[in-house]
Amino acid sequence: MKILLIGSGGREHALAWRFLRDDPATELFTAPGNAGTGDLGTNLPIQATDIDGLLAWAEREKPDLTMVGPEAPLCAGVVDRFEKAGLPIFGPNAAAARLEGSKVYTKNFLLKHGLPTAPGAGFSDSLSAYAYSRQHPVHPQVLKADGLAAGKGVIIAQNPHEAAQTIHRIMDLRVFGEAGREMVIEEFLPGREMSVHVLTDGISHVILPIAQDHKRLGEGDTGPNTGGMGAYAPAPFATEELQAQISREIVVPVLAAFQKEGIDFRGILYVGLIWTKEGPRILEFNVRGGDPETQILLPLLDTPLVELFQAVREQRLGALEVRLNSKHAVTIVLAAGGYPGTPETDVPIKGLDLDLPDTCVFHGGTKRKGKQVLTNGGRVLSVTAWAADLASARELAYQRAAKIHFAGCQFRRDIAARLTLE
């Protein structure tokens, strides 16, 4: 089978690894890929957002399936273009991808349909945002750049001064570029965050093992937000009763709201939830698998990916038995010096050739120069391990991470250390 995989991060390397584990005869092409995907197949010199280039290659080479990893090409309409050309592709169309592409749109969508979320509003000018922030003096406040900002566009302001500074940076200084043309301000909800990945064909749905991401750069959830510094699954507090409640109170109403709005969502819906004293509340939607959550979910899934993705595309997910194993997985992100600001690149990486059972080092921001692998981005590697219990998986992941070295490497040492629902 010939597969085109779009993207260049740790999520895409994990998908490539899993495609080949399911079927070693898979002919895999990744655009643009990284050093890890290059070891598993052929990297193409086509950027993930070069829709014309991707389409031209696919029309010429006729892949049996195209898998879209990151959000940017989904929001740019890659699925619409491929489907119009009659090319099989997995992921939501541009109308559905707007749920991640615009936080203002999503906030209005949630409020319109009475879905459980934090009180808040969207703004298209900074003066209105300043006024709203001052009129709602309870802090912390959560301020979000409207568009795609690589996981860095959400800031928690602890006081009015921080809120005003953040509004200025997002909307006036445009530190997140065009993502800051609009923004959302909402009430901070205390509780336990969780990553809920929902496979859906628009009719049926399957909730994958509930994961926990670690967004802050520093241990103890300190420092700036990042794209994610580590994750684990399944979360020990995610009982069958809790998952049933999430399905009943969150997923089913969300899918019903999609149908009312005429949103044909087929793919992976990532629901960022926070569990409050009043129950689950929706923080955000992503329209693809999380990174680093994908790296821990794939080892827990026994159903072959192609079989699963085809069932979603053809709206027959309800007839498919989605098989999960009983393992636990942990991933630790090794980030470059300078991240989440300007990462240090072209730094040699050592220790990648160690073979440790039940672990895999997924490449993110890497490139190859001759035989040497160099850093080429902020989140460089995702060190993932799986085992019969969470403690063993955690220990194994940290054992493997300790063998990898590059100048400026930074990682958290408390991934999966806090395991209760508060």
Side-chain angles (χ1 to χ4, degrees):
M1 189 172 196
K2 181 186 288 188
I3 294 177
L4 170 61
L5 177 57
I6 298 173
S8 62
R11 168 184 48 228
E12 287 73 52
H13 188 195
L15 286 164
W17 166 82
R18 182 53 195 260
F19 279 131
L20 286 169
R21 195 176 81 163
D22 289 341
D23 181 5
T26 298
E27 191 178 3
L28 187 64
F29 298 86
T30 308
N34 55 41
T37 60
D39 290 338
L40 300 179
T42 302
N43 285 348
L44 303 174
I46 308 172
Q47 293 303 307
T49 51
D50 181 3
I51 310 302
D52 290 337
L54 294 166
L55 184 61
W57 185 92
E59 288 182 318
R60 183 175 66 250
E61 299 294 335
K62 299 291 190 297
D64 298 295
L65 178 68
T66 294
M67 171 66 199
V68 188
E71 62 276 16
L74 292 170
C75 293
V78 65
V79 170
D80 308 67
R81 294 282 300 279
F82 270 58
E83 288 183 340
K84 185 177 180 180
L87 295 164
I89 185 168
F90 179 86
N93 58 32
R98 194 178 178 193
L99 291 158
E100 180 168 2
S102 172
K103 293 181 178 64
V104 171
Y105 170 80
T106 296
K107 175 56 67 173
N108 292 336
F109 173 88
L110 293 170
L111 295 173
K112 175 183 176 180
H113 292 280
L115 296 165
T117 187
F123 305 92
S124 57
D125 67 273
S126 58
L127 290 179
S128 299
Y130 287 131
Y132 181 91
S133 180
R134 288 194 299 267
Q135 291 163 8
H136 295 75
V138 177
H139 287 78
Q141 287 180 351
V142 182
L143 299 95
K144 303 177 179 180
D146 177 62
L148 302 179
K152 304 172 192 175
V154 178
I155 294 92
I156 300 173
Q158 300 295 331
N159 54 60
H161 178 67
E162 286 186 12
Q165 279 190 324
T166 301
I167 294 168
H168 178 60
R169 284 170 50 79
I170 290 176
M171 301 202 76
D172 298 329
L173 299 182
R174 297 286 176 85
V175 295
F176 299 114
E178 289 301 297
R181 289 179 64 88
E182 296 184 280
M183 70 174 295
V184 168
I185 301 176
E186 62 186 23
E187 180 182 316
F188 176 82
L189 298 178
R192 172 63 64 137
E193 290 190 40
M194 58 187 73
S195 304
V196 180
H197 286 70
V198 182
L199 286 163
T200 179
D201 58 8
I203 301 170
S204 302
H205 74 273
V206 174
I207 297 178
L208 296 179
I210 292 176
Q212 282 221 281
D213 186 15
H214 295 64
K215 291 289 189 187
R216 297 294 190 96
L217 179 68
E219 291 162 18
D221 294 328
T222 58
N225 266 348
T226 71
M229 292 300 293
Y232 62 93
F237 56 77
T239 62
E240 290 185 6
E241 291 78 11
L242 182 141
Q243 292 188 63
Q245 184 177 351
I246 290 173
S247 179
R248 182 177 64 252
E249 297 182 9
I250 302 294
V251 180
V252 171
V254 164
L255 295 182
F258 287 174
Q259 292 178 356
K260 289 179 182 177
E261 294 285 336
I263 298 173
D264 181 12
F265 195 105
R266 304 186 199 189
I268 300 171
L269 178 66
Y270 172 123
V271 186
L273 288 184
I274 189 158
W275 202 275
T276 71
K277 293 179 180 179
E278 291 75 33
R281 297 292 183 267
I282 299 170
L283 296 178
E284 65 174 346
F285 290 132
N286 292 337
V287 296
R288 38 67 193 183
D291 184 346
E293 291 94 340
T294 297
Q295 291 90 304
I296 53 171
L297 292 177
L298 292 183
L300 308 182
L301 185 66
D302 282 347
T303 303
L305 289 189
V306 169
E307 182 181 340
L308 189 59
F309 292 165
Q310 296 290 31
V312 169
R313 289 184 60 250
E314 298 165 8
Q315 288 194 310
R316 50 180 180 82
L317 180 62
L320 180 69
E321 180 188 1
V322 179
R323 301 183 302 278
L324 302 169
N325 59 53
S326 59
K327 294 179 181 177
H328 297 253
V330 173
T331 195
I332 303 159
V333 172
L334 308 188
Y339 181 77
T342 302
E344 299 170 3
T345 58
D346 297 311
V347 179
I349 305 171
K350 298 179 180 180
L352 294 174
D353 53 354
L354 175 67
D355 184 19
L356 190 62
D358 298 328
T359 68
C360 192
V361 179
F362 296 120
H363 291 233
T366 67
K367 64 181 178 181
R368 188 175 292 279
K369 186 176 182 180
K371 294 184 179 181
Q372 181 67 63
V373 176
L374 308 175
T375 65
N376 192 41
R379 293 187 297 159
V380 179
L381 302 165
S382 300
V383 181
T384 304
W386 50 95
D389 58 82
L390 193 57
S392 298
R394 183 177 189 271
E395 181 179 1
L396 197 57
Y398 276 105
Q399 284 179 7
R400 183 66 186 91
K403 304 298 183 181
I404 298 173
H405 305 280
F406 58 90
C409 175
Q410 51 181 333
F411 64 95
R412 286 181 57 164
R413 291 166 175 77
D414 62 346
I415 304 301
R418 189 178 62 177
L419 305 177
T420 60
L421 180 59
E422 297 173 350

